[in-house]
């Protein structure tokens, strides 16, 4: 698969089929992903790859935590910046509406929307979770490096015929996630990533996710 095809076919998958993921495939992906760029070659990313009974344990624990603290508890960073506005907020709202429309959930169906959100904790049926973290003293440039690593992983997964969904929602319970994953207090939890094979026919995997026009975000000078 060419890089262009991997980019074009990658999307956040929110319904996976019941098919196991081979560990050797993930090892191959992650070995290649170590070539991701990072400032000064710091390579600030760390991850825990979870499946089977261990994933079931974490899933059950976080579901109980979500019942007790549905708005989050122990989050260590803002998933969205305070005061998000303009086209950035418009795009966030639009993709949420498109997702709910795809599965037939009306705006006033609060219970249905909550039920859809709760599927995050089941990794949308994916058999594997990749949980990412880094040392607490790392700054914005290293967080950017961590994002480049995650993007590389997602594209390499596509090359292998696999799919993913990056899930910052787990960070709503950041300190508890570190406890569940046995990550010490010198690190900060970033996000999860569901990994598996997409349900190609599921409406939630097929709604349009538009991108801003290039000329909205790029300026050309000296050409």
């Amino acid at each position: 698969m060419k890089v262009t095809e991997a980019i074009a076919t990658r999307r956040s998958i929110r319904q996976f089929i019941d098919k196991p993921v081979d560990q050797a495939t993930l090892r191959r992906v992650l070995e290649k992903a170590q070539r991701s760029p990072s400032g000064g070659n710091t390579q600030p990313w760390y991850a825990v790859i979870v499946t089977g009974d261990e994933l079931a344990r974490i899933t059950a624990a976080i579901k109980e935590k979500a019942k007790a603290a549905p708005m989050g508890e122990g989050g260590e960073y803002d998933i969205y910046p305070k005061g998000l506005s303009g086209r950035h907020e418009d795009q966030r709202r639009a993709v949420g509406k498109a997702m709910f429309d795809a599965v037939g959930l009306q705006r006033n169906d609060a219970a249905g929307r909550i039920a859809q959100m709760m599927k995050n904790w089941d990794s949308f049926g994916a058999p594997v979770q990749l949980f990412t973290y880094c040392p607490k003293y790392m700054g914005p440039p290293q967080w950017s490096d961590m994002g480049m690593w995650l993007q590389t992983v997602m594209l390499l997964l596509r090359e292998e015929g696999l799919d993913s969904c990056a899930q910052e929602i787990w960070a709503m319970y950041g300190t508890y996630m570190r406890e569940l994953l046995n990550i010490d207090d010198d690190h900060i939890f970033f996000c999860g990533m569901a990994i598996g094979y997409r349900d190609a026919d599921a409406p939630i995997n097929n709604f349009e996710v538009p991108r801003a026009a290039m000329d909205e975000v790029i300026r050309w000078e000296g050409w």
Side-chain angles (χ1 to χ4, degrees):
M1 183 182 291
K2 291 182 178 180
V3 175
T4 299
E5 185 181 355
I7 293 171
T9 60
R10 189 217 63 81
R11 64 175 293 145
S12 295
I13 296 301
R14 293 183 176 87
Q15 188 167 324
F16 292 82
I17 62 173
D18 184 15
K19 180 179 178 180
V21 175
D22 182 53
Q23 186 185 37
T25 302
L26 292 179
R27 285 184 173 274
R28 186 162 58 245
V29 164
L30 294 168
E31 185 68 31
K32 293 177 182 178
Q34 284 302 104
R35 300 301 306 172
S36 298
S38 60
N41 199 32
T42 54
Q43 303 174 56
W45 52 81
Y46 292 84
V48 182
I49 319 297
V50 185
T51 192
D53 291 343
E54 181 63 7
L55 180 55
R57 178 187 72 85
I58 292 169
T59 295
I62 207 71
K63 282 182 174 180
E64 288 302 310
K65 177 64 75 172
K67 288 179 185 176
M71 301 306 292
E73 179 184 277
E76 298 178 284
Y77 70 91
D78 292 328
I79 294 176
Y80 298 108
K82 294 179 175 64
L84 186 68
S85 61
R87 73 169 179 86
H88 308 291
E89 174 65 0
D90 292 343
Q91 288 160 184
R92 188 186 73 85
R93 289 179 177 276
V95 77
K97 181 180 185 303
M99 182 183 71
F100 288 129
D101 286 350
V103 294
L105 287 172
Q106 302 300 314
R107 184 179 179 83
N108 60 357
D109 187 357
R113 289 180 173 228
I114 291 171
Q116 177 60 46
M117 189 195 75
M118 291 296 288
K119 292 180 180 180
N120 276 279
W121 311 132
D122 289 309
S123 305
F124 302 114
V128 174
Q129 265 287 347
L130 183 155
F131 294 113
T132 306
Y133 61 103
C134 72
K136 277 187 176 177
Y137 64 77
M138 295 295 183
Q142 289 75 48
W143 280 63
S144 174
D145 295 339
M146 194 160 43
M148 288 192 285
W149 177 74
L150 288 166
Q151 169 80 337
T152 302
V153 170
M154 288 188 278
L155 296 180
L156 288 167
L157 288 169
R158 287 301 303 129
E159 182 182 68
E160 296 282 355
L162 283 157
D163 295 287
S164 62
C165 183
Q167 296 175 277
E168 289 174 308
I169 193 171
W170 295 87
M172 289 173 58
Y173 307 97
T175 56
Y176 188 50
M177 285 303 300
R178 287 197 288 106
E179 178 184 332
L180 291 174
L181 295 166
N182 195 29
I183 299 170
D184 64 46
D185 291 342
D186 292 333
H187 292 80
I188 185 167
F189 177 85
F190 179 27
C191 70
M193 182 194 289
I195 298 174
Y197 295 92
R198 75 177 69 186
D199 182 342
D201 298 323
I204 201 166
N205 293 335
N206 288 287
F207 66 90
E208 184 179 358
V209 184
R211 294 294 193 261
M214 184 181 68
D215 289 341
E216 283 189 66
V217 298
I218 305 294
R219 288 193 301 152
W220 301 81
E221 300 198 8
W223 291 87

